[in-house]
Amino acid sequence: MTLTRTELEEAARKAFEGALAEDRWSMIADMGLLMAAVPDARGGLGLGGEAVGAIHVELGRALVSGPAIAQMMAIEALAGSDAPAELLDRAMAGDVMTASLAADGTLTCVPDADRASHMLVAEPGRVALVPLDGATITPRETWDRTRRLFDVAPSDDRIVLAEGSAADALAERIERLMLLALAGDSLGGADAILTLTIDYLKTRRQFDRPLALFQALKHRVADMKTQLAAADALFRARAAGQASLVEIGALKAHATTVYRAIAEEAVQLHGGIGLTMEHHCHLFLKRATLNAALGGDADRREAAAGREKLARAFA
């Protein structure tokens, strides 16, 4: 396989551009995006975490619906264990397998559980794949119309992927991937709504000149652009390196905070039309708000990062 990370990123951007909040699951699977981080030896592309991050930036930019984050968590678990190759092949081909995006270990906030064949369950000392036949699946109401979440009460059947210390290490890898994906999704969405806002300011006129020429609005856009550029640089550095779980958690907290701030500003800069359901602004703001809650909120992640810094300082 000769596909590079950059080629994959460009292909994803071209594939998803032009439409917002659409279900592109078949396209995601057909393009091989789900197998980007899987090692060559297991039938994947072997492009690593940086490619996964880049893919989620593009998915977030177009507000793509579907369980891509949860699916990649399940694939990471299958590829990192001695699970049957048939299960991994099915997951990489697009057979929906999901996982919880909650940070408290509960089986809540599970994307697309109603159409998934299996669900990944990470418990202390054990990581398993659970068939969802016979499970109780309850829809969870959210404002974000671009994603569907469920609470799941599965049966007792388990396909154990790892136990003991190996399970704890695998669970940490899965959580890191979830946080990195949420950060990427947030930065892609922030870049998209900021670009759309700038375009709007260039065309909307007041006092016979474009809004983009008003200095006060230029300053607000410049502030947002600076925040986004800094967050993007941090994201790319963390995705390409060997950041710890706490560092990735802090990155996710920062990226989602920047996303929500830019989405809120975008609504204000669009004026009255930005508050209407017919305009796209609310789609970004609602996705930004949900991203901030999934995987643990900023208070929790930043507190963990602070405690780690203090521990290092006084060690």
Side-chain angles (χ1 to χ4, degrees):
M1 187 67 68
T2 58
L3 191 65
T4 67
R5 180 194 62 77
T6 302
E7 290 170 337
L8 194 67
E9 182 178 353
E10 291 176 351
R13 181 173 300 194
K14 290 179 181 177
F16 301 139
E17 70 182 359
L20 288 176
E22 293 186 356
D23 187 344
R24 303 294 184 93
W25 188 248
S26 296
M27 183 181 293
I28 290 171
D30 292 344
M31 291 178 65
L33 302 185
L34 297 173
M35 61 177 70
V38 178
D40 293 341
R42 302 294 312 264
L45 301 179
L47 296 176
E50 190 178 8
V52 172
I55 289 168
H56 286 286
V57 168
E58 300 311 319
L59 295 177
R61 189 187 307 279
L63 302 178
V64 173
S65 62
I69 295 177
Q71 183 88 4
M72 288 193 182
M73 292 165 64
I75 289 173
E76 179 77 8
L78 291 168
S81 68
D82 296 327
E86 177 261 345
L87 282 174
L88 177 58
D89 292 342
R90 283 174 53 190
M92 291 193 297
D95 183 2
V96 177
M97 298 183 190
T98 188
S100 171
L101 302 185
D104 56 4
T106 60
L107 303 184
T108 59
C109 303
V110 182
D112 293 57
D114 60 336
R115 61 169 174 157
S117 63
H118 295 76
M119 175 181 174
L120 181 70
V121 177
E123 303 166 322
R126 185 171 68 174
V127 175
L129 201 64
V130 180
L132 289 183
D133 291 340
T136 301
I137 299 172
T138 307
R140 176 177 282 257
E141 291 294 329
T142 67
W143 282 6
D144 180 10
R145 297 191 317 193
T146 67
R147 284 173 292 192
R148 300 182 309 116
L149 300 180
F150 298 83
D151 295 342
V152 179
S155 64
D156 293 331
D157 293 338
R158 296 283 190 278
I159 302 171
V160 177
L161 303 180
E163 291 185 295
S165 59
D168 294 339
L170 183 58
E172 182 173 316
R173 283 173 51 189
I174 295 166
E175 186 174 0
R176 287 180 73 258
L177 188 150
M178 174 184 67
L179 295 170
L180 182 67
L182 287 169
D185 188 279
S186 298
L187 295 177
D191 189 45
I193 187 59
L194 180 54
T195 300
L196 291 169
T197 301
I198 292 171
D199 291 342
Y200 177 78
L201 295 176
K202 289 178 180 176
T203 55
R204 177 70 173 166
R205 301 178 70 87
Q206 193 169 51
F207 303 116
D208 202 28
R209 60 176 181 163
L211 291 176
L213 294 181
F214 289 82
Q215 192 173 38
L217 300 185
K218 287 181 181 178
H219 289 172
R220 291 169 68 176
V221 171
D223 286 345
M224 288 190 286
K225 198 74 174 176
T226 302
Q227 293 174 17
L228 180 58
D232 184 66
L234 179 63
F235 171 75
R236 293 182 181 277
R238 290 284 188 262
Q242 298 295 322
S244 68
L245 177 60
V246 171
E247 289 172 331
I248 294 292
L251 166 68
K252 182 266 177 186
H254 183 60
T256 54
T257 299
V258 168
Y259 187 13
R260 190 161 55 178
I262 290 177
E264 288 173 348
E265 273 285 73
V267 171
Q268 297 297 322
L269 290 170
H270 275 81
I273 194 172
L275 298 172
T276 64
M277 293 294 289
E278 291 73 19
H279 200 266
H280 49 246
C281 275
H282 74 96
L283 297 175
F284 289 93
L285 180 58
K286 290 170 182 173
R287 184 143 168 154
T289 303
L290 184 56
N291 277 1
L294 295 175
D297 61 25
D299 288 347
R300 169 184 170 150
R301 295 297 176 184
E302 289 173 351
R307 285 194 295 270
E308 185 177 85
K309 290 292 184 185
L310 287 173
R312 288 181 183 176
F314 292 101

